[in-house]
Amino acid sequence: MTSEWAVVTGAGHGIGAVIARLAAKEGYRVAAWDIDEQAARAVADEIGAGCVAARVDVTDEAAVAEAMAALPDAPALVVNNAGVVRFGPLLELSAADFRLAVDVNLTGTFLVARAAAARMAAAGGGAIVNIASINGIAAAPNAGAYTSSKAAVIKLTEQMALEWSGAGVRVNAVAPGLIHAGMSDAIYADPEVRALRQGRVPLGRLGTAEDVAEAVLFLASPKAAYVTGQTLAVDGGITRSALHRMPRPADVDSVGVDPAGDPAGPDGGR
Ligand SMILES: NC(=O)c1ccc[n+]([C@@H]2O[C@H](COP(=O)([O-])OP(=O)(O)OC[C@H]3O[C@@H](n4cnc5c(N)ncnc54)[C@H](O)[C@@H]3O)[C@@H](O)[C@H]2O)c1
């Protein structure tokens, strides 16, 4: 348990609201930031004592600096969760949509983390967790603006970890997979699409916002004291399963020495 401050951006909806609730449950005082002030306030009111809400647009450098300075103490934890997605094939994607994804997902992460790291360094350290996506690991249909912004978040996480390790600031990322929450809710409204997507996940189910929040709080905790610069995919195994459900004839799956004495084995060495 701790009574230190955790800042959660994009805390008004979806995964961010669940991270804020879990952080409060684990004893943090939570600063719930969102561009949607009303939503942030609703989450803060629900959490109750120890949670404050603020309207903070993570792309607004001055607003971020002001909100960070307004915290009574340096935050022990900052979760860069605010994010947007803009779908569309690259040939049709507008520059405005591309810029928005980069601005919120990447530049916003940079601005909030930089403001936090300065305060954390002065206070002796802290933990930053950036919410990336498996789309930052693997390209996805019509998600070019999002995938490139999230891939950059993963690399920015490594850069921050390297630069701020001497100040005691650990920086890691969580890459959520197929999560039935927040911005993906619309995708799972169709039961057929839901079943098809779920069927691709080795663990056999979609992820939840709670799955993501637990990973965030683990990376923030002393249990992860020697972990920095890493990206933890919370994805039921999907990014490590290119060969999942790959058809294979049963007769090539005999294991061990070929009874006929062929040193290449029963499959001819494949
Ligand atoms: N839901 C998923 O399937 C999924 C999968 C992988 C990664 N993610 C990532 O998880 C994070 C949370 O996504 P979610 O699914 O909860 O989405 P969501 O749309 O429900 O929540 C995003 C929140 O960010 C806020 N926000 C948007 N722009 C902002 C800005 N400029 N400044 C401050 N706040 C801003 C929104 O108001 C909203 O509250 C995002 O970074 C997203 O990319 C989500």
Side-chain angles (χ1 to χ4, degrees):
M1 290 290 271
T2 172
S3 60
E4 296 165 309
W5 281 96
V7 174
V8 182
T9 69
H13 297 277
I15 295 170
V18 174
I19 294 170
R21 283 187 204 110
L22 187 63
K25 200 170 147 199
E26 299 221 345
Y28 286 96
R29 288 180 286 169
V30 175
W33 291 3
D34 207 293
I35 197 169
D36 181 345
E37 185 175 5
Q38 215 181 337
R41 284 211 185 288
V43 170
D45 287 350
E46 183 207 315
I47 291 173
C51 184
V52 296
R55 183 193 184 278
V56 183
D57 176 350
V58 296
T59 68
D60 181 339
E61 188 173 4
V64 167
E66 194 183 321
M68 195 63 72
L71 287 177
D73 303 309
L77 168 64
V78 165
V79 186
N80 280 302
N81 164 83
V84 294
V85 68
R86 286 294 178 275
F87 290 118
L90 290 174
L91 284 176
E92 291 165 24
L93 197 65
S94 71
D97 277 348
F98 192 91
R99 285 198 184 101
L100 182 72
V102 171
D103 211 18
V104 177
N105 300 346
L106 178 61
T107 312
T109 295
F110 164 63
L111 293 175
V112 174
R114 188 185 59 175
R119 286 207 71 179
M120 286 174 172
I128 296 174
V129 181
N130 299 325
I131 305 301
S133 167
I134 59 166
N135 285 173
I137 299 168
N142 297 330
Y146 188 71
T147 54
S148 42
S149 69
K150 291 296 188 176
V153 167
I154 290 172
K155 201 46 75 178
L156 181 62
T157 299
E158 295 171 16
Q159 185 69 29
M160 289 170 171
L162 183 144
E163 293 198 19
W164 298 339
S165 55
V169 179
R170 293 186 302 106
V171 190
N172 291 289
V174 167
L178 306 185
I179 307 297
H180 191 177
M183 61 173 63
S184 293
D185 271 345
I187 297 176
Y188 299 112
D190 179 341
E192 205 177 318
V193 173
R194 182 184 166 146
L196 282 170
R197 290 173 74 97
Q198 192 164 291
R200 300 285 305 278
V201 181
L203 284 183
R205 68 169 175 87
L206 299 171
T208 63
E210 286 74 14
D211 290 323
V212 178
E214 290 288 357
V216 169
L217 271 297
F218 161 71
L219 287 170
S221 77
K223 289 178 185 168
Y226 201 52
V227 181
T228 196
Q230 301 301 310
T231 295
L232 176 57
V234 178
D235 70 348
I238 202 166
T239 49
R240 289 291 181 268
S241 64
L243 302 182
H244 183 50
R245 306 244 158 112
M246 182 70 79
R248 258 173 90 83
D251 62 0
V252 303
D253 275 339
S254 50
V255 176
V257 180
D258 181 6
D262 176 3
D267 64 356
R270 275 166 297 169

